[in-house]
Amino acid sequence: MSSSYLLVFHGSRDPRPEIAMQQLAKLVCNKLPENHNALNSAHQVGIAALEMSPQPLHEQIQEFAKSAFGDVCGGLRQSKLSQNENRLKIVPLFLLPGVHVMTDIPAEVALAQQAIGQDIMIELQPYLGSHPNLEKLLAKQIAAIKAEAWILLAHGSRRPGSKETVEAMAAGLPAVAAYWSVPPSLESRVKELVAAGYKEIAILPYFLFAGGITDAIAASIEELKLQFSAVNFQMVEPLGASAELAEIIWDLTDR
Protein backbone atom coordinates (compact mmCIF):
# COMPACT_ATOMS: atom_id res chain seq x y z
CA MET A 1 0.00 0.00 0.00
CA SER A 2 1.26 3.46 -0.92
CA SER A 3 0.22 6.48 1.18
CA SER A 4 0.80 10.19 0.78
CA TYR A 5 -0.24 12.97 3.13
CA LEU A 6 -1.72 16.41 2.52
CA LEU A 7 -1.80 18.90 5.38
CA VAL A 8 -4.67 21.37 4.96
CA PHE A 9 -4.54 24.75 6.69
CA HIS A 10 -6.81 27.78 6.57
CA GLY A 11 -4.71 29.96 4.31
CA SER A 12 -3.76 33.60 4.72
CA ARG A 13 -2.69 36.68 2.77
CA ASP A 14 0.15 36.93 5.31
CA PRO A 15 3.13 34.86 4.04
CA ARG A 16 4.18 33.63 7.50
CA PRO A 17 1.65 30.79 7.93
CA GLU A 18 2.57 29.23 4.58
CA ILE A 19 6.28 29.42 5.39
CA ALA A 20 5.59 27.72 8.74
CA MET A 21 3.45 25.10 6.99
CA GLN A 22 6.31 24.26 4.65
CA GLN A 23 8.57 23.82 7.67
CA LEU A 24 5.96 21.64 9.36
CA ALA A 25 5.54 19.49 6.24
CA LYS A 26 9.30 18.82 6.26
CA LEU A 27 9.12 17.79 9.91
CA VAL A 28 6.22 15.44 9.16
CA CYS A 29 8.14 14.10 6.16
CA ASN A 30 10.90 13.08 8.57
CA LYS A 31 8.36 10.75 10.22
CA LEU A 32 7.92 8.70 7.05
CA PRO A 33 9.14 5.10 7.20
CA GLU A 34 12.41 4.40 5.39
CA ASN A 35 10.65 2.76 2.45
CA HIS A 36 8.71 6.01 1.91
CA ASN A 37 11.87 8.08 2.07
CA ALA A 38 13.37 5.83 -0.57
CA LEU A 39 10.66 7.16 -2.88
CA ASN A 40 10.45 10.83 -3.76
CA SER A 41 9.65 12.03 -0.27
CA ALA A 42 9.12 15.60 -1.50
CA HIS A 43 5.93 14.32 -3.10
CA GLN A 44 4.82 12.28 -0.09
CA VAL A 45 3.86 15.16 2.22
CA GLY A 46 2.29 18.35 0.87
CA ILE A 47 0.30 21.36 2.01
CA ALA A 48 -2.90 22.96 0.74
CA ALA A 49 -4.91 26.01 1.77
CA LEU A 50 -8.68 26.03 2.19
CA GLU A 51 -8.90 29.77 1.54
CA MET A 52 -6.75 32.57 0.08
CA SER A 53 -5.44 30.23 -2.63
CA PRO A 54 -5.70 30.71 -6.41
CA GLN A 55 -7.25 27.23 -6.64
CA PRO A 56 -10.13 25.72 -4.65
CA LEU A 57 -9.08 22.99 -2.27
CA HIS A 58 -10.45 20.11 -4.38
CA GLU A 59 -8.22 21.16 -7.29
CA GLN A 60 -5.20 21.40 -4.98
CA ILE A 61 -5.96 17.87 -3.76
CA GLN A 62 -6.11 16.61 -7.35
CA GLU A 63 -2.80 18.25 -8.26
CA PHE A 64 -1.08 16.83 -5.20
CA ALA A 65 -2.47 13.38 -5.99
CA LYS A 66 -0.93 13.60 -9.47
CA SER A 67 2.46 14.60 -8.06
CA ALA A 68 2.31 11.87 -5.40
CA PHE A 69 0.99 9.00 -7.49
CA GLY A 70 1.94 9.95 -11.03
CA ASP A 71 -0.76 9.67 -13.69
CA VAL A 72 -2.82 7.10 -11.82
CA CYS A 73 -5.44 9.68 -10.93
CA GLY A 74 -5.57 10.95 -14.51
CA GLY A 75 -6.24 7.50 -15.87
CA LEU A 76 -3.24 7.75 -18.25
CA ARG A 77 -1.56 4.60 -16.99
CA GLN A 78 -2.40 1.71 -14.75
CA SER A 79 -1.30 1.78 -11.15
CA LYS A 80 1.46 -0.61 -10.14
CA LEU A 81 -0.72 -1.33 -7.16
CA SER A 82 -4.14 -2.87 -7.25
CA GLN A 83 -7.21 -0.70 -6.94
CA ASN A 84 -7.66 1.06 -3.56
CA GLU A 85 -4.02 0.55 -2.52
CA ASN A 86 -3.06 4.15 -3.30
CA ARG A 87 -4.18 6.24 -0.35
CA LEU A 88 -4.12 10.00 0.09
CA LYS A 89 -4.62 11.03 3.69
CA ILE A 90 -5.92 14.55 4.30
CA VAL A 91 -5.11 16.03 7.73
CA PRO A 92 -7.04 19.23 8.58
CA LEU A 93 -4.73 21.44 10.65
CA PHE A 94 -7.60 23.25 12.35
CA LEU A 95 -8.03 23.64 16.09
CA LEU A 96 -11.84 23.90 16.34
CA PRO A 97 -14.67 21.75 14.93
CA GLY A 98 -16.16 24.74 13.11
CA VAL A 99 -17.80 25.01 9.70
CA HIS A 100 -14.48 24.60 7.87
CA VAL A 101 -13.76 21.25 9.54
CA MET A 102 -17.28 19.86 9.66
CA THR A 103 -18.65 21.08 6.31
CA ASP A 104 -16.24 22.84 3.95
CA ILE A 105 -13.31 20.42 3.93
CA PRO A 106 -15.44 17.23 3.65
CA ALA A 107 -17.28 18.79 0.69
CA GLU A 108 -13.98 19.64 -1.06
CA VAL A 109 -12.63 16.13 -0.39
CA ALA A 110 -15.79 14.62 -1.90
CA LEU A 111 -15.36 16.73 -5.04
CA ALA A 112 -11.73 15.66 -5.35
CA GLN A 113 -12.60 11.98 -4.91
CA GLN A 114 -15.29 12.24 -7.57
CA ALA A 115 -12.82 13.79 -10.02
CA ILE A 116 -9.96 11.38 -9.25
CA GLY A 117 -12.01 8.21 -9.31
CA GLN A 118 -11.31 5.06 -7.33
CA ASP A 119 -7.66 4.42 -8.23
CA ILE A 120 -6.71 6.65 -5.32
CA MET A 121 -8.70 6.53 -2.09
CA ILE A 122 -8.85 9.81 -0.21
CA GLU A 123 -9.12 9.46 3.56
CA LEU A 124 -10.06 12.45 5.69
CA GLN A 125 -8.29 12.16 9.05
CA PRO A 126 -9.38 13.74 12.38
CA TYR A 127 -8.70 17.46 12.73
CA LEU A 128 -5.67 18.60 14.72
CA GLY A 129 -7.59 20.09 17.66
CA SER A 130 -9.12 16.69 18.45
CA HIS A 131 -5.78 15.15 19.47
CA PRO A 132 -5.42 14.76 23.27
CA ASN A 133 -1.68 15.50 23.23
CA LEU A 134 -2.28 19.03 21.99
CA GLU A 135 -3.21 20.04 25.53
CA LYS A 136 0.13 18.68 26.77
CA LEU A 137 1.91 20.83 24.20
CA LEU A 138 0.08 23.93 25.44
CA ALA A 139 0.77 22.98 29.07
CA LYS A 140 4.49 22.88 28.22
CA GLN A 141 4.25 26.47 26.96
CA ILE A 142 2.43 27.57 30.11
CA ALA A 143 4.97 25.90 32.42
CA ALA A 144 7.74 28.08 31.01
CA ILE A 145 6.13 31.37 32.10
CA LYS A 146 5.16 32.60 35.53
CA ALA A 147 1.67 34.14 35.74
CA GLU A 148 -1.21 34.26 38.23
CA ALA A 149 -3.89 33.72 35.61
CA TRP A 150 -4.01 32.41 32.05
CA ILE A 151 -6.36 33.16 29.15
CA LEU A 152 -6.58 30.65 26.32
CA LEU A 153 -7.54 32.80 23.34
CA ALA A 154 -9.02 30.88 20.40
CA HIS A 155 -10.40 32.19 17.13
CA GLY A 156 -13.92 30.99 17.87
CA SER A 157 -16.74 29.75 15.65
CA ARG A 158 -20.47 30.33 15.46
CA ARG A 159 -21.09 26.63 14.84
CA PRO A 160 -22.97 25.10 17.81
CA GLY A 161 -20.73 22.93 19.98
CA SER A 162 -17.49 24.32 18.60
CA LYS A 163 -16.55 25.92 21.93
CA GLU A 164 -16.69 22.70 23.92
CA THR A 165 -13.18 21.52 22.96
CA VAL A 166 -11.67 24.91 23.86
CA GLU A 167 -13.53 25.08 27.17
CA ALA A 168 -12.36 21.57 28.07
CA MET A 169 -8.77 22.36 27.14
CA ALA A 170 -8.82 25.63 29.08
CA ALA A 171 -10.14 23.83 32.16
CA GLY A 172 -7.34 21.27 31.93
CA LEU A 173 -4.50 23.79 31.65
CA PRO A 174 -5.95 25.60 33.80
CA ALA A 175 -7.02 28.80 32.07
CA VAL A 176 -10.14 30.72 31.14
CA ALA A 177 -11.27 30.64 27.52
CA ALA A 178 -11.75 33.71 25.36
CA TYR A 179 -12.40 34.12 21.64
CA TRP A 180 -11.28 36.53 18.95
CA SER A 181 -14.41 36.41 16.78
CA VAL A 182 -17.22 35.54 19.22
CA PRO A 183 -17.95 36.25 22.91
CA PRO A 184 -16.52 36.13 25.51
CA SER A 185 -13.81 38.47 24.22
CA LEU A 186 -10.26 38.90 25.45
CA GLU A 187 -11.10 42.29 26.97
CA SER A 188 -14.10 40.95 28.88
CA ARG A 189 -12.03 38.09 30.33
CA VAL A 190 -9.27 40.50 31.33
CA LYS A 191 -11.80 42.73 33.12
CA GLU A 192 -13.13 39.71 35.03
CA LEU A 193 -9.63 38.65 36.12
CA VAL A 194 -8.63 42.19 37.10
CA ALA A 195 -11.84 42.53 39.14
CA ALA A 196 -10.90 39.27 40.87
CA GLY A 197 -7.56 40.82 41.91
CA TYR A 198 -5.11 39.24 39.47
CA LYS A 199 -2.04 41.35 38.68
CA GLU A 200 -0.15 38.97 36.37
CA ILE A 201 -2.14 37.77 33.36
CA ALA A 202 -0.72 35.72 30.48
CA ILE A 203 -2.46 35.17 27.15
CA LEU A 204 -1.91 31.98 25.18
CA PRO A 205 -3.12 32.39 21.56
CA TYR A 206 -4.68 29.09 20.49
CA PHE A 207 -3.48 29.49 16.92
CA LEU A 208 -1.11 27.45 14.82
CA PHE A 209 1.18 30.18 13.57
CA ALA A 210 1.98 33.86 13.83
CA GLY A 211 0.08 35.97 11.33
CA GLY A 212 -2.32 38.85 10.95
CA ILE A 213 -4.58 37.77 13.81
CA THR A 214 -1.75 37.24 16.30
CA ASP A 215 -0.44 40.69 15.33
CA ALA A 216 -3.90 42.11 16.07
CA ILE A 217 -3.98 40.25 19.40
CA ALA A 218 -0.60 41.75 20.34
CA ALA A 219 -1.91 45.23 19.48
CA SER A 220 -5.01 44.59 21.59
CA ILE A 221 -2.84 43.56 24.54
CA GLU A 222 -0.88 46.83 24.23
CA GLU A 223 -4.18 48.69 24.57
CA LEU A 224 -5.09 46.60 27.62
CA LYS A 225 -1.75 47.54 29.20
CA LEU A 226 -2.74 51.20 28.93
CA GLN A 227 -6.20 50.49 30.33
CA PHE A 228 -4.89 48.39 33.24
CA SER A 229 -1.49 49.89 34.03
CA ALA A 230 -1.17 48.03 37.34
CA VAL A 231 -1.40 44.64 35.61
CA ASN A 232 1.54 42.79 34.06
CA PHE A 233 0.50 41.22 30.73
CA GLN A 234 2.40 38.56 28.81
CA MET A 235 1.63 36.98 25.47
CA VAL A 236 2.96 33.56 24.52
CA GLU A 237 3.84 32.60 20.96
CA PRO A 238 1.33 30.42 19.05
CA LEU A 239 2.11 26.72 18.56
CA GLY A 240 4.46 27.10 15.59
CA ALA A 241 6.20 24.43 13.52
CA SER A 242 7.90 22.02 15.93
CA ALA A 243 8.93 18.39 16.13
CA GLU A 244 6.31 17.89 18.88
CA LEU A 245 3.53 19.21 16.67
CA ALA A 246 4.76 17.08 13.77
CA GLU A 247 4.56 14.03 16.05
CA ILE A 248 0.92 14.81 16.85
CA ILE A 249 0.11 15.28 13.16
CA TRP A 250 1.81 12.02 12.25
CA ASP A 251 -0.25 10.22 14.89
CA LEU A 252 -3.41 11.66 13.31
CA THR A 253 -2.53 10.08 9.97
CA ASP A 254 -3.03 6.65 11.50
CA ARG A 255 -6.35 7.28 13.25
Side-chain angles (χ1 to χ4, degrees):
M1 182 179 292
S2 175
S3 296
S4 288
Y5 310 90
L6 189 62
L7 314 180
V8 176
F9 70 116
H10 185 275
S12 173
R13 292 185 180 90
D14 190 303
R16 288 173 290 174
E18 184 170 353
I19 293 169
M21 279 296 298
Q22 295 285 3
Q23 294 170 341
L24 193 55
K26 289 178 182 177
L27 291 169
V28 173
C29 199
N30 292 337
K31 301 289 181 184
L32 293 173
E34 288 185 10
N35 63 323
H36 277 73
N37 282 316
L39 302 171
N40 188 351
S41 61
H43 294 301
Q44 296 299 112
V45 180
I47 67 171
L50 178 62
E51 295 185 354
M52 312 298 177
S53 172
Q55 291 178 298
L57 179 58
H58 66 273
E59 291 182 6
Q60 295 175 69
I61 294 172
Q62 289 169 246
E63 285 202 357
F64 178 72
K66 287 178 182 178
S67 72
F69 300 104
D71 293 327
V72 173
C73 55
L76 300 180
R77 66 173 170 80
Q78 290 295 313
S79 170
K80 293 180 182 178
L81 300 169
S82 62
Q83 191 177 28
N84 295 347
E85 287 190 346
N86 291 310
R87 300 199 178 272
L88 173 53
K89 298 191 176 187
I90 309 285
V91 186
L93 299 194
F94 288 72
L95 299 173
L96 305 178
V99 174
H100 288 330
V101 166
M102 305 306 291
T103 303
D104 298 341
I105 294 176
E108 291 291 317
V109 167
L111 286 172
Q113 185 72 81
Q114 185 178 11
I116 288 171
Q118 298 304 306
D119 286 326
I120 297 170
M121 298 306 297
I122 304 176
E123 298 178 352
L124 184 56
Q125 304 304 119
Y127 72 99
L128 178 59
S130 67
H131 199 289
N133 285 353
L134 204 58
E135 185 179 319
K136 295 178 183 177
L137 198 54
L138 294 174
K140 185 178 176 182
Q141 288 179 283
I142 283 181
I145 290 180
K146 180 184 175 183
E148 294 176 347
W150 281 87
I151 298 174
L152 181 67
L153 179 59
H155 182 278
S157 170
R158 298 191 183 281
R159 183 181 179 276
S162 63
K163 288 183 177 181
E164 291 174 6
T165 55
V166 179
E167 301 289 342
M169 191 168 289
L173 285 172
V176 293
Y179 303 90
W180 187 247
S181 63
V182 295
S185 68
L186 172 62
E187 184 178 2
S188 68
R189 286 302 200 198
V190 166
K191 286 180 177 178
E192 290 173 6
L193 291 173
V194 171
Y198 291 102
K199 300 292 186 183
E200 294 181 350
I201 300 173
I203 293 94
L204 176 58
Y206 190 39
F207 291 81
L208 273 181
F209 309 119
I213 293 180
T214 56
D215 286 352
I217 291 169
S220 180
I221 291 171
E222 290 303 313
E223 292 179 4
L224 289 168
K225 288 179 180 179
L226 295 174
Q227 189 175 351
F228 303 101
S229 58
V231 177
N232 179 35
F233 290 96
Q234 296 184 76
M235 175 177 165
V236 181
E237 291 296 316
L239 288 163
S242 67
E244 294 94 337
L245 187 60
E247 184 68 39
I248 290 172
I249 293 167
W250 181 247
D251 190 54
L252 287 170
T253 66
D254 198 33
R255 294 203 166 207

